[in-house]
Amino acid sequence: MSWVKPAADAILAAGESLMVEVNASDPDGTIANVKLYLDNKFVRQENYAPYQWGAAGQNDPLLNDLSAGSHTLKAVATDDDGAATTITRSFTVTGDYLTIPGIIEAEDYREGGEAVAYHDTTSGNTGGAYRSDDVDIQKTGDTTGTYNVGWVAAGEWLTYAVKVEKSGSYTIRFRVASQMTSNKTLHLELDGKDITGPVSFNTQGKGWQVYQTEEISGVQLEAGVHILKLVMDTAAFNINYMEFIFGD
Ligand SMILES: [Ca+2]
Ligand SMILES: [Ca+2]
Ligand SMILES: [Ca+2]
């Protein structure tokens, strides 16, 4: 038996619903059922594959509106001989999220480490400021925003737990700088879906701390708690913050 969802050490935002799936098979017979527990409370017994809970059309209230903190899932598979196998998986629910409309500082990405909260290609914080994981942060030369993320490599990303207060169309302003004269590109994903397409800009090589605002509009956002992902598609620019403004 093995976990399909959630990912190991997954981090969710408070209020999010959890979807759970396990693979279960019995080499010398069949699986009779799989029982799921959340923090040792019985969620539901699933008798047929795919072994899922909290999926569309399923009524698993224990998996909704999760409280902030650490939680443990336990799945118990019983085969046709009555033999039981148990697996567990821990995940964290964060009560902290950033609000949209509003300003999201690039440096205020989620807790959770490499490959979960962010992806950074170099070990340690090259800028040495504000936080002490692998994301590279320095004091910014911009007029507001205090810090910026820098030393960007292509393919690096940062995630943010956000709460969108109202559904609709948004304008997004990216505050960026670069000493390079080449085009730079980033994009945003919400819950794993690309919501902006490539956002390209050129700072004309003005300097690492000479910031400009790159604005896009018509980005549709749904109210609720989401995971926002900022993806750096090209290297060598600095980002101070993103401002989300309701309307076009
Ligand atoms: Ca780094
Ligand atoms: Ca980096
Ligand atoms: Ca900032």
Side-chain angles (χ1 to χ4, degrees), residues 119-122 124 126 134-136 149-153 156:
H119 170 52
D120 194 277
T121 54
T122 61
T126 304
D134 295 326
V135 179
D136 308 305
V149 170
W151 295 275
V152 163
E156 290 187 337

Side-chain angles (χ1 to χ4, degrees), residues 36-43 62 71-74 88:
L36 182 74
Y37 299 81
L38 173 65
D39 301 329
N40 287 319
K41 286 194 203 98
F42 181 57
V43 176
L62 277 180
H71 299 277
T72 304
L73 289 163
K74 181 172 75 175
T88 61

Side-chain angles (χ1 to χ4, degrees), residues 85-109:
T85 308
T86 298
I87 55 172
T88 61
R89 173 149 280 184
S90 296
F91 64 98
T92 302
V93 174
T94 175
D96 296 330
Y97 35 68
L98 306 164
T99 302
I100 291 176
I103 287 175
I104 293 180
E105 298 290 345
E107 61 273 19
D108 286 340
Y109 54 88

Side-chain angles (χ1 to χ4, degrees), residues 3 17 31 53 63 81 93 107 109 137 147-148 164 194 210 219:
W3 294 101
S17 297
I31 295 293
W53 296 261
L63 302 180
D81 300 322
V93 174
E107 61 273 19
Y109 54 88
I137 305 172
Y147 301 100
N148 64 263
V164 177
D194 187 342
V210 181
V219 178

Side-chain angles (χ1 to χ4, degrees), residues 173-217:
R173 292 177 179 158
F174 299 91
R175 193 71 177 160
V176 289
S178 177
Q179 193 153 293
M180 315 295 277
T181 52
S182 50
N183 282 340
K184 303 297 172 194
T185 306
L186 54 78
H187 74 274
L188 289 179
E189 298 176 8
L190 197 70
D191 300 335
K193 185 167 144 258
D194 187 342
I195 55 166
T196 59
V199 177
S200 286
F201 56 92
N202 194 313
T203 60
Q204 315 294 337
K206 287 198 187 97
W208 291 117
Q209 293 298 335
V210 181
Y211 284 84
Q212 68 184 48
T213 301
E214 187 63 32
E215 180 176 301
I216 59 168
S217 58

Side-chain angles (χ1 to χ4, degrees), residues 7-12 92 94 107-124 131-137 155-161 227-229:
D9 300 317
I11 299 187
L12 299 148
T92 302
T94 175
E107 61 273 19
D108 286 340
Y109 54 88
R110 293 190 298 164
E111 298 283 346
E114 168 64 26
V116 176
Y118 62 80
H119 170 52
D120 194 277
T121 54
T122 61
S123 164
R131 297 174 74 164
S132 50
D133 49 37
D134 295 326
V135 179
D136 308 305
I137 305 172
E156 290 187 337
W157 48 262
L158 302 165
T159 65
Y160 307 84
I227 299 300
L228 178 73
K229 184 176 187 179

